[in-house]
Structures are given as structure tokens and as C-alpha cells.
Amino acid sequence: MPSQEVGLPIPNIPHAVSVTLPTWEANIAYEEGEHWVTSKMSSGYPRFYIHSSIRQLCRKLEAKYGREGEECLVFPSYKVAKRCREFLKSHFEGKIRILQLSTPEPVSDSDKSIQVGATFGVVFFPKSLFPLAKSYWQHSGEVVSSRMGEYILKSLFTGPKSKTKQELQAQKIQSRSPSIRASRSSASGCFNDDLETEFDTFIEQKFGRVLDLKFANEAKRALRRRICGKVDKSCNQIEEIEKSKRGKYLSESDVYLFPSGMASIFYAHHALFNILPAGKSVCFGFPYVDTLNILKKFGPGVIFLGLGDDSSLLQLEKDLEEGLKIMALFCECPSNPLLKTPNLKKIKELGEKYDFAIVVDETVGNFINIHVLPYADMVASSLTKVFSGDSNVLAGSLVLNPLSRYYAKLKKFFNTNYEDLFWDEDALWLERNSRDFVERVHKVDNTSEKVVNLLLSNPKISKVYYPSVSPSRHHYDMIKTQDGGYGGLISFVFHKPSDAIKFFNSVDLYKGPSLGTNFSLACPYSILAHYQELDEIEQWGVDRNLIRISIGLEEPEDLLQVLEKSLEQ
């Protein structure tokens, strides 16, 4: 049964990416920093809550390398640490130091199974700047994962880890794997059906839950190919005349992995800022909070079109006709939490006419349900969500459209500047988690439609937000794949706020941040994501008492029964 204990990880494992906030009151208390909640927090979403292993690592680094009055924060590379320093210096004129450190490289082949050389950056700053440094961590998503922090801590401060008998046996099993051997010799390019089947099973887990770091690069290649194989289906929908313009197809080399979904959006903005004339970007539609923060706090600023509807697009077109210059347009498809779908076809037409780039975050729709690549220059996704499902790894991806008019410039920039910051052990976990991604998506889609019908029929509920019942459905249907559904995210509002509180407090589901988990997950979204701006968000149609549910893999009848029981409260 879902735990209702405040602060417990969801799931209850060391590297969980969600945390239990089981009541309306607990969510408010968390936002207000009340001790009865914050003192019990043993976990949290990794961009907002710094994992205990990372905090412990920072304390060790401060003791060894710090100066009086300093704190530090670790980042996955020296370049990222420099970006953090630049951000801090834009707000502070004092001294900020960076230290680059590395863990020992493996010496022998057997060491490669449990050891990897990791080079990372440490930013030292006055203690008063910690909230600002943490805001860079949160907004950029360029974070050290809890597994990476744990590894560095053990490697630098508790000595090398010895292989257990179990790990040695697992290594022998994996080295014999025919799919591992095949992966080393297969040609590059997108999956065909045979390759996809091969890679979907290639890191065999025949011996417990041991992961062999020696195969991390192959796991990453499998992930890029898996993403490429799914996204490329959208590329294949492009008219033949468009294909012939470039004569290129999406390949695994156009898929880039990141330590979080937000890092992929941040890096998309960073890349465009470096290859295009500097200018404001448009945030089209009410987005997840840190997408807007990135556009606000990094670069020349943002034009926020929060309604994200056809009228907003007409006004943008008018402003562009009158001389408005923008660098890029960022949007979600569909948006979180209102599940609106932008008119991507029209946005693409405007982008071509007025020369701005288009970045689409398809996390909520996911690339099994929708194909947005033909309408975007870059497609970002949080792999933490339904692609992983298990709520135990943070990851993101960014796909370059090879038919984009900016492709050559983007490719040159990525070839020169992109760093693989995705921690090896996280890659191994994600590869395994995502093998049944397609089947899970279809099950979630089917269950979600049943839940939507239940909510629509309940007289206590005033509004249901879901792509299939949205006024923007025709825009969603334009990009929906042949076998795709409408996703697993549903938001709704009660007529009476008191009914929302009663429902949330009584519903027997996991309750915390995140979405796309294999278990259904609920939260009072506005309270959790926008508590300090509840009046402001209402102008964009976001009700302060909105509840969001991410549908999981429970049997539909069981989930419907749980929801019906709470709706009767």
C-alpha cells in the first residue's frame, strides 16, 4: 500500500526521485518550511532536494579544501562549475573559487566493472550565496546525481570498494552475453526491428541486481538508439520532398543524454544563445516552472505567452510582422499541468518566416504517443518520467532534427562543446528500466482514458484537463502517432476547494512530486509548484486548488475503485 508517512522516499529506496507529502496541509507546510515537515524529509526531487550523499560529500570537501566562511556545491564537470560561477558573479562581486577533482581511474580490466574515473567541479562561495548556488542547480538541472555523489564520496573519502563474490560472478555472466558482444560490433544508425530487440535485452541481469560499470558506454548507446528508433518514426512521416532536401535521417549521433530533463532544456537554450544572434525567447503556454526560470534568468529574457492558445499565436504573428525579433520559441507538448497542445504546424511556419528556432519539450506526451520532431529544431525530454518509470533515476535527452535549417550550426556546436555528464551507473539503471517503455505507455494511455471518463461524470468536479477533452485536441491529433494515445497526466479542479482537500487527503495513492511513474502519483500541483504565486498563475488559467494525477500501471478496475472511494468523501 502507498505510504502516508511524511518525508518518506517514493519508492522507499536510496535513490528515489520523489517524496511523500500525503496531505494538503503537509504540502503547504513544506512550502512554508515548517519544521514538522522539513525535519522529516529524507528524500525529495533531486533538483530541489540535495541528496544526503551529496551533502556529506560537500561537507568533506569543505573540510579539506574550503576556507573560513565558505560552502561548496559539486557539479558534474569543470565547465558546469564555471557556468555556475558566472551565474553567481552576475549577482555577487566577491570571490568565488572553482576546484577540479578526479576519482582514480581503473587500473585493470577487472577494476572497470566497479570503478570509473570521474572528473567533477566544486564551486566554493560565501555561505550567504548557498541559496543562489542551489537555484543554479535547480534551474539548470546540471546536477550531480545521488549515485555519482555516493560514488565520489566512497572513492575519495572511504577508500576503493572491493568486488564481492556476487559482483565477480555477475561480471562473468555479463561478459558471456551474446547481446553484449553483438552490441560492440553492430553498425551505427537507427534501430531496425532486429537491432531494437537485441538492444532492448542487451545488458542481461541474470544475477541479482548487480550492474557492471564496464558496460556503461554500451548502455548509453542502447539508450540513444532506443530513443532514436522511436523518434525517427516521426521523421519518417515528413514528406519525401522534405527528406530529399537534406538526404539525411535521424541517427543515434543526433541524440544527446543529460543528467536531467531540465538540463536538456537548459543546454538547448545555451546552444542557441551561442549560435544565433542574442535575443529574447518566447515561452509559449504555461510551462513547468523551471523552463520559464531558465528563459528568465539566463540570457536576454523571455516573452511569456502563458495562455498558449490560438489567440496568443495570432498576437505573436502580428508582433513579428511589426518587427519583433526573437531567438527561439520554447513550448511543451502538451503542457504541464493544463495539457494544452500548441499549434506546432503554425509555429513552424512562423519560425521559418521570421527566422527563430523551435524547442519542444515532449515529456508529457512522450514520443510513443506523439511525433513532434518535424516541427522542431530540437526536441527535449525528461527520461526521468515515463521512459524510466521506476522513479529511481534522473535523466534527460535532447534530439537534433537533421532537417532543421540550424542543424549544421547546432551540430558543430555540440561536436565542440557537448559533455557527456550522464553518470555511468544511472545509464545502466535507465537502460534496464526503459526496456518495456512501449508496453507501459500503451497500458497507461488506456487506463487514463477510463480515469478521465470517471472524473468527467462526477458532479463535484468542475473541470478536467486532458488532451482528448481539451479545446486544443485537434492540434494534438495532428501530431499523434498511429497507435498513440493521450498520455498519462490528468489535472482536475473541484467546484468547492474543500472537496479538493477532502479528496486529496483521503485518496489511497502515492502522493508527491514527479510524473510518469509506474505507480499512480498525485499532488496538489499549484500548491507544490507555485505556492508563492497563486494569485499570479490564475491569470493563465491555473486554479490554485488544481490536483494533478499521473497514471501508473495498476489494474484499471483497482485504480478506479480507489478514486471513486475518495470522490465520495
Side-chain angles (χ1 to χ4, degrees):
M1 301 295 291
S3 171
Q4 303 301 312
E5 181 180 340
V6 171
L8 198 69
I10 306 175
N12 192 11
I13 57 174
H15 302 287
V17 301
S18 189
V19 63
T20 304
L21 292 168
T23 64
W24 202 275
E25 295 79 10
N27 280 269
I28 291 175
Y30 169 75
E31 292 298 325
E32 294 188 345
E34 293 188 19
H35 182 75
W36 72 271
V37 170
T38 58
S39 64
K40 297 176 182 176
M41 300 288 287
S42 59
S43 181
Y45 198 77
R47 287 190 302 102
F48 293 83
Y49 178 90
I50 297 179
H51 192 271
S52 58
S53 63
I54 299 171
R55 295 200 306 269
Q56 187 179 353
L57 173 61
C58 289
R59 301 296 84 80
K60 296 278 190 182
L61 292 168
E62 288 161 4
K64 188 169 184 178
Y65 301 106
R67 297 172 183 172
E68 186 176 353
E70 285 185 332
E71 285 192 35
C72 76
L73 201 53
V74 292
F75 291 94
S77 78
Y78 185 74
K79 280 187 179 180
V80 175
K82 285 178 65 178
R83 287 197 281 271
C84 177
R85 180 174 64 182
E86 290 169 8
F87 177 72
L88 295 179
K89 281 188 170 292
S90 68
H91 297 81
F92 175 76
E93 295 183 355
K95 182 157 185 168
I96 298 167
R97 300 188 300 122
I98 299 179
L99 185 65
Q100 179 172 282
L101 296 172
S102 298
T103 63
E105 294 282 348
V107 176
S108 64
D109 284 343
S110 60
D111 288 339
K112 292 178 181 178
S113 295
I114 59 169
Q115 191 175 353
V116 59
T119 299
F120 59 98
V122 190
V123 182
F124 289 89
F125 43 79
K127 289 183 178 181
S128 61
L129 289 188
F130 179 78
L132 191 60
K134 187 173 179 289
S135 72
Y136 181 87
W137 172 284
Q138 173 188 324
H139 300 330
S140 74
E142 295 187 313
V143 301
V144 167
S145 77
S146 56
R147 289 188 182 89
M148 183 177 183
E150 186 177 77
Y151 178 86
I152 294 171
L153 182 65
K154 290 179 179 178
S155 181
L156 294 186
F157 294 103
T158 61
K161 176 184 173 186
S162 298
K163 280 183 288 186
T164 65
K165 183 178 179 181
Q166 185 186 49
E167 287 171 327
L168 289 168
Q169 190 167 349
Q171 178 187 332
K172 291 178 181 177
I173 291 171
Q174 290 177 325
S175 65
R176 293 198 302 265
S177 167
S179 50
I180 285 285
R181 291 197 300 270
S183 74
R184 290 172 172 163
S185 58
S186 59
S188 62
C190 288
F191 272 133
N192 58 36
D193 290 339
D194 292 338
L195 276 175
E196 185 169 358
T197 300
E198 172 190 279
F199 271 75
D200 276 349
T201 58
F202 93 93
I203 300 179
E204 296 181 344
Q205 295 299 311
K206 294 180 180 178
F207 197 87
R209 302 190 56 87
V210 175
L211 296 174
D212 193 327
L213 292 175
K214 184 165 57 179
F215 300 119
N217 286 336
E218 286 154 326
K220 291 179 183 181
R221 188 181 184 200
L223 289 167
R224 291 194 301 270
R225 285 176 165 235
R226 192 166 296 160
I227 293 166
C228 168
K230 301 301 182 291
V231 177
D232 197 41
K233 291 179 180 178
S234 66
C235 191
N236 290 338
Q237 303 296 323
I238 300 174
E239 295 178 3
E240 290 299 323
I241 188 170
E242 284 196 66
K243 287 184 182 179
S244 63
K245 285 181 185 178
R246 292 196 60 85
K248 298 187 75 169
Y249 298 87
L250 185 68
S251 75
E252 67 183 74
S253 64
D254 293 320
V255 180
Y256 297 86
L257 300 175
F258 290 86
S260 70
M262 197 51 58
S264 66
I265 296 172
F266 177 82
Y267 203 80
H269 180 263
H270 175 70
L272 292 172
F273 188 70
N274 278 275
I275 69 164
L276 297 179
K280 290 186 176 181
S281 292
V282 167
C283 183
F284 190 78
F286 189 87
Y288 176 71
V289 58
D290 279 322
T291 297
L292 187 57
N293 278 326
I294 286 171
L295 303 181
K296 279 182 179 179
K297 298 184 179 185
F298 301 91
V302 62
I303 299 167
F304 183 34
L305 303 180
L307 292 177
D309 55 11
D310 291 347
S311 295
S312 301
L313 200 53
L314 286 172
Q315 183 61 50
L316 176 61
E317 183 175 21
K318 180 180 177 183
D319 293 341
L320 291 166
E321 287 175 352
E322 294 176 353
L324 174 68
K325 300 291 185 182
I326 62 174
M327 180 182 76
L329 182 146
F330 288 72
C331 64
E332 297 175 344
C333 194
S335 64
N336 174 20
L338 297 182
L339 288 308
K340 290 182 179 180
T341 305
N343 184 348
L344 291 183
K345 182 178 180 182
K346 180 66 174 178
I347 288 172
K348 181 183 179 182
E349 291 174 0
L350 293 178
E352 291 178 343
K353 184 175 181 180
Y354 295 103
D355 194 25
F356 61 83
I358 300 165
V359 181
V360 179
D361 178 358
E362 53 76 80
T363 299
V364 173
N366 80 68
F367 45 76
I368 300 303
N369 287 327
I370 58 175
H371 48 77
V372 302
L373 189 66
Y375 307 98
D377 299 291
M378 289 182 277
V379 176
S381 186
S382 173
L383 305 180
T384 311
K385 309 304 192 297
V386 70
F387 187 80
S388 171
D390 276 346
S391 190
N392 62 2
V393 63
L394 198 68
S397 66
L398 189 62
V399 179
L400 305 187
N401 183 352
L403 300 180
S404 165
R405 64 191 179 283
Y406 303 117
Y407 178 78
K409 288 183 178 179
L410 284 169
K411 198 67 177 176
K412 182 178 179 181
F413 180 83
F414 274 71
N415 286 343
T416 304
N417 298 283
Y418 167 78
E419 296 179 287
D420 178 6
L421 305 177
F422 189 34
W423 180 240
D424 286 357
E425 191 178 356
D426 292 319
L428 291 162
W429 278 90
L430 184 62
E431 188 283 325
R432 184 171 61 191
N433 291 354
S434 61
R435 291 175 194 172
D436 60 351
F437 169 53
V438 178
E439 293 80 6
R440 287 188 286 107
V441 166
H442 291 317
K443 181 174 176 61
V444 166
D445 289 344
N446 291 333
T447 303
S448 297
E449 290 284 359
K450 294 179 172 64
V451 171
V452 168
N453 291 335
L454 171 67
L455 297 174
L456 287 171
S457 66
N458 191 283
K460 293 183 179 180
I461 294 175
S462 63
K463 180 72 173 177
V464 177
Y465 300 91
Y466 190 66
S468 67
V469 297
S470 170
S472 62
R473 174 174 175 164
H474 58 295
H475 296 319
Y476 188 100
D477 287 343
M478 181 187 72
I479 56 174
K480 188 163 77 73
T481 59
Q482 183 174 353
D483 299 322
Y486 293 92
L489 199 64
I490 305 166
S491 298
F492 53 99
V493 176
F494 286 81
H495 287 287
K496 298 179 180 179
S498 59
D499 285 338
I501 296 171
K502 288 178 184 177
F503 170 84
F504 185 78
N505 286 352
S506 64
V507 69
D508 193 16
L509 298 176
Y510 288 98
K511 288 179 266 190
S514 198
L515 59 93
T517 50
N518 290 339
F519 43 84
S520 293
L521 184 64
C523 73
Y525 182 83
S526 300
I527 298 295
L528 193 58
H530 298 281
Y531 185 70
Q532 304 300 329
E533 49 192 11
L534 292 174
D535 292 334
E536 180 182 341
I537 66 173
E538 287 189 337
Q539 69 178 299
W540 308 115
V542 184
D543 190 281
R544 64 181 61 216
N545 297 303
L546 179 142
I547 293 173
R548 190 190 73 182
I549 293 182
S550 172
I551 303 301
L553 300 179
E554 300 90 350
E555 289 304 313
E557 296 76 15
D558 295 337
L559 181 57
L560 291 173
Q561 186 176 3
V562 167
L563 296 174
E564 286 172 341
K565 182 179 178 181
S566 296
L567 288 167
E568 292 170 0
Q569 296 295 314

